[in-house]
PDB file of all heavy atoms in Angstrom:
ATOM      1  N   SER B 425     117.595 -47.735 -54.629  1.00 95.00           N
ATOM      2  CA  SER B 425     117.264 -47.125 -53.343  1.00 95.00           C
ATOM      3  C   SER B 425     117.907 -45.756 -53.143  1.00 95.00           C
ATOM      4  O   SER B 425     117.669 -45.117 -52.142  1.00 95.00           O
ATOM      5  CB  SER B 425     117.694 -48.040 -52.198  1.00 95.00           C
ATOM      6  OG  SER B 425     119.087 -48.214 -52.228  1.00 95.00           O
ATOM      7  N   GLN B 426     118.750 -45.312 -54.069  1.00 95.00           N
ATOM      8  CA  GLN B 426     119.325 -43.979 -53.894  1.00 95.00           C
ATOM      9  C   GLN B 426     118.849 -43.115 -55.044  1.00 95.00           C
ATOM     10  O   GLN B 426     119.014 -43.491 -56.209  1.00 95.00           O
ATOM     11  CB  GLN B 426     120.861 -44.060 -53.868  1.00 95.00           C
ATOM     12  CG  GLN B 426     121.546 -42.750 -53.556  1.00 95.00           C
ATOM     13  CD  GLN B 426     121.227 -42.222 -52.163  1.00 95.00           C
ATOM     14  OE1 GLN B 426     120.244 -41.513 -51.969  1.00 95.00           O
ATOM     15  NE2 GLN B 426     122.039 -42.568 -51.186  1.00 95.00           N
ATOM     16  N   PHE B 427     118.265 -41.975 -54.720  1.00 95.00           N
ATOM     17  CA  PHE B 427     117.668 -41.118 -55.745  1.00 95.00           C
ATOM     18  C   PHE B 427     118.625 -40.904 -56.915  1.00 95.00           C
ATOM     19  O   PHE B 427     119.762 -40.483 -56.714  1.00 95.00           O
ATOM     20  CB  PHE B 427     117.263 -39.773 -55.137  1.00 95.00           C
ATOM     21  CG  PHE B 427     116.638 -38.865 -56.135  1.00 95.00           C
ATOM     22  CD1 PHE B 427     115.382 -39.168 -56.635  1.00 95.00           C
ATOM     23  CD2 PHE B 427     117.284 -37.753 -56.597  1.00 95.00           C
ATOM     24  CE1 PHE B 427     114.783 -38.343 -57.581  1.00 95.00           C
ATOM     25  CE2 PHE B 427     116.697 -36.922 -57.543  1.00 95.00           C
ATOM     26  CZ  PHE B 427     115.443 -37.216 -58.035  1.00 95.00           C
ATOM     27  N   SER B 428     118.164 -41.217 -58.112  1.00 93.00           N
ATOM     28  CA  SER B 428     119.074 -41.194 -59.250  1.00 93.00           C
ATOM     29  C   SER B 428     118.538 -40.379 -60.411  1.00 93.00           C
ATOM     30  O   SER B 428     118.958 -40.570 -61.536  1.00 93.00           O
ATOM     31  CB  SER B 428     119.355 -42.625 -59.711  1.00 93.00           C
ATOM     32  OG  SER B 428     118.139 -43.263 -60.038  1.00 93.00           O
ATOM     33  N   GLY B 429     117.601 -39.482 -60.145  1.00 91.00           N
ATOM     34  CA  GLY B 429     117.181 -38.575 -61.200  1.00 91.00           C
ATOM     35  C   GLY B 429     115.766 -38.847 -61.693  1.00 91.00           C
ATOM     36  O   GLY B 429     114.965 -39.497 -61.027  1.00 91.00           O
ATOM     37  N   THR B 430     115.477 -38.327 -62.884  1.00 92.00           N
ATOM     38  CA  THR B 430     114.110 -38.247 -63.365  1.00 92.00           C
ATOM     39  C   THR B 430     113.340 -39.559 -63.279  1.00 92.00           C
ATOM     40  O   THR B 430     112.248 -39.626 -62.738  1.00 92.00           O
ATOM     41  CB  THR B 430     114.119 -37.774 -64.825  1.00 92.00           C
ATOM     42  OG1 THR B 430     114.954 -36.629 -64.920  1.00 92.00           O
ATOM     43  CG2 THR B 430     112.717 -37.412 -65.277  1.00 92.00           C
ATOM     44  N   TYR B 431     113.908 -40.635 -63.839  1.00 93.00           N
ATOM     45  CA  TYR B 431     113.138 -41.883 -63.931  1.00 93.00           C
ATOM     46  C   TYR B 431     113.488 -42.846 -62.810  1.00 93.00           C
ATOM     47  O   TYR B 431     113.337 -44.061 -62.935  1.00 93.00           O
ATOM     48  CB  TYR B 431     113.366 -42.530 -65.299  1.00 93.00           C
ATOM     49  CG  TYR B 431     112.951 -41.625 -66.427  1.00 93.00           C
ATOM     50  CD1 TYR B 431     113.888 -41.026 -67.248  1.00 93.00           C
ATOM     51  CD2 TYR B 431     111.602 -41.337 -66.630  1.00 93.00           C
ATOM     52  CE1 TYR B 431     113.499 -40.165 -68.255  1.00 93.00           C
ATOM     53  CE2 TYR B 431     111.205 -40.471 -67.635  1.00 93.00           C
ATOM     54  CZ  TYR B 431     112.150 -39.887 -68.451  1.00 93.00           C
ATOM     55  OH  TYR B 431     111.756 -39.039 -69.440  1.00 93.00           O
ATOM     56  N   PHE B 432     113.950 -42.306 -61.690  1.00 94.00           N
ATOM     57  CA  PHE B 432     114.341 -43.079 -60.507  1.00 94.00           C
ATOM     58  C   PHE B 432     113.282 -44.126 -60.131  1.00 94.00           C
ATOM     59  O   PHE B 432     113.602 -45.274 -59.829  1.00 94.00           O
ATOM     60  CB  PHE B 432     114.578 -42.075 -59.384  1.00 94.00           C
ATOM     61  CG  PHE B 432     114.563 -42.627 -57.997  1.00 94.00           C
ATOM     62  CD1 PHE B 432     115.541 -43.494 -57.574  1.00 94.00           C
ATOM     63  CD2 PHE B 432     113.570 -42.239 -57.093  1.00 94.00           C
ATOM     64  CE1 PHE B 432     115.540 -43.985 -56.281  1.00 94.00           C
ATOM     65  CE2 PHE B 432     113.563 -42.718 -55.808  1.00 94.00           C
ATOM     66  CZ  PHE B 432     114.555 -43.600 -55.400  1.00 94.00           C
ATOM     67  N   SER B 433     112.004 -43.744 -60.176  1.00 94.00           N
ATOM     68  CA  SER B 433     110.945 -44.670 -59.741  1.00 94.00           C
ATOM     69  C   SER B 433     110.806 -45.864 -60.676  1.00 94.00           C
ATOM     70  O   SER B 433     110.210 -46.870 -60.300  1.00 94.00           O
ATOM     71  CB  SER B 433     109.595 -43.957 -59.698  1.00 94.00           C
ATOM     72  OG  SER B 433     109.760 -42.634 -59.291  1.00 94.00           O
ATOM     73  N   LEU B 434     111.303 -45.742 -61.899  1.00 93.00           N
ATOM     74  CA  LEU B 434     111.094 -46.808 -62.888  1.00 93.00           C
ATOM     75  C   LEU B 434     112.239 -47.809 -62.896  1.00 93.00           C
ATOM     76  O   LEU B 434     112.187 -48.789 -63.622  1.00 93.00           O
ATOM     77  CB  LEU B 434     110.961 -46.202 -64.288  1.00 93.00           C
ATOM     78  CG  LEU B 434     109.745 -45.308 -64.486  1.00 93.00           C
ATOM     79  CD1 LEU B 434     109.754 -44.710 -65.877  1.00 93.00           C
ATOM     80  CD2 LEU B 434     108.471 -46.117 -64.274  1.00 93.00           C
ATOM     81  N   MET B 435     113.257 -47.564 -62.073  1.00 93.00           N
ATOM     82  CA  MET B 435     114.436 -48.426 -62.148  1.00 93.00           C
ATOM     83  C   MET B 435     114.218 -49.663 -61.288  1.00 93.00           C
ATOM     84  O   MET B 435     114.748 -49.785 -60.198  1.00 93.00           O
ATOM     85  CB  MET B 435     115.669 -47.653 -61.707  1.00 93.00           C
ATOM     86  CG  MET B 435     116.938 -48.376 -62.084  1.00 93.00           C
ATOM     87  SD  MET B 435     118.326 -47.290 -61.978  1.00 93.00           S
ATOM     88  CE  MET B 435     119.636 -48.478 -61.764  1.00 93.00           C
ATOM     89  N   GLU B 436     113.396 -50.562 -61.803  1.00 93.00           N
ATOM     90  CA  GLU B 436     113.103 -51.802 -61.079  1.00 93.00           C
ATOM     91  C   GLU B 436     113.309 -52.970 -62.023  1.00 93.00           C
ATOM     92  O   GLU B 436     113.179 -52.823 -63.238  1.00 93.00           O
ATOM     93  CB  GLU B 436     111.644 -51.812 -60.601  1.00 93.00           C
ATOM     94  CG  GLU B 436     111.330 -50.783 -59.545  1.00 93.00           C
ATOM     95  CD  GLU B 436     109.959 -51.019 -58.915  1.00 93.00           C
ATOM     96  OE1 GLU B 436     109.261 -51.948 -59.366  1.00 93.00           O
ATOM     97  OE2 GLU B 436     109.601 -50.278 -57.995  1.00 93.00           O
ATOM     98  N   THR B 437     113.622 -54.112 -61.468  1.00 93.00           N
ATOM     99  CA  THR B 437     113.694 -55.307 -62.297  1.00 93.00           C
ATOM    100  C   THR B 437     113.349 -56.517 -61.449  1.00 93.00           C
ATOM    101  O   THR B 437     113.221 -56.422 -60.236  1.00 93.00           O
ATOM    102  CB  THR B 437     115.078 -55.453 -62.958  1.00 93.00           C
ATOM    103  OG1 THR B 437     115.024 -56.495 -63.919  1.00 93.00           O
ATOM    104  CG2 THR B 437     116.152 -55.748 -61.940  1.00 93.00           C
TER     105      THR B 437
END
Side-chain angles (χ1 to χ4, degrees):
Chain B
S425 62
Q426 186 64 272
F427 181 69
S428 58
T430 311
Y431 301 109
F432 161 67
S433 325
L434 296 177
M435 194 164 157
E436 293 191 357
T437 190

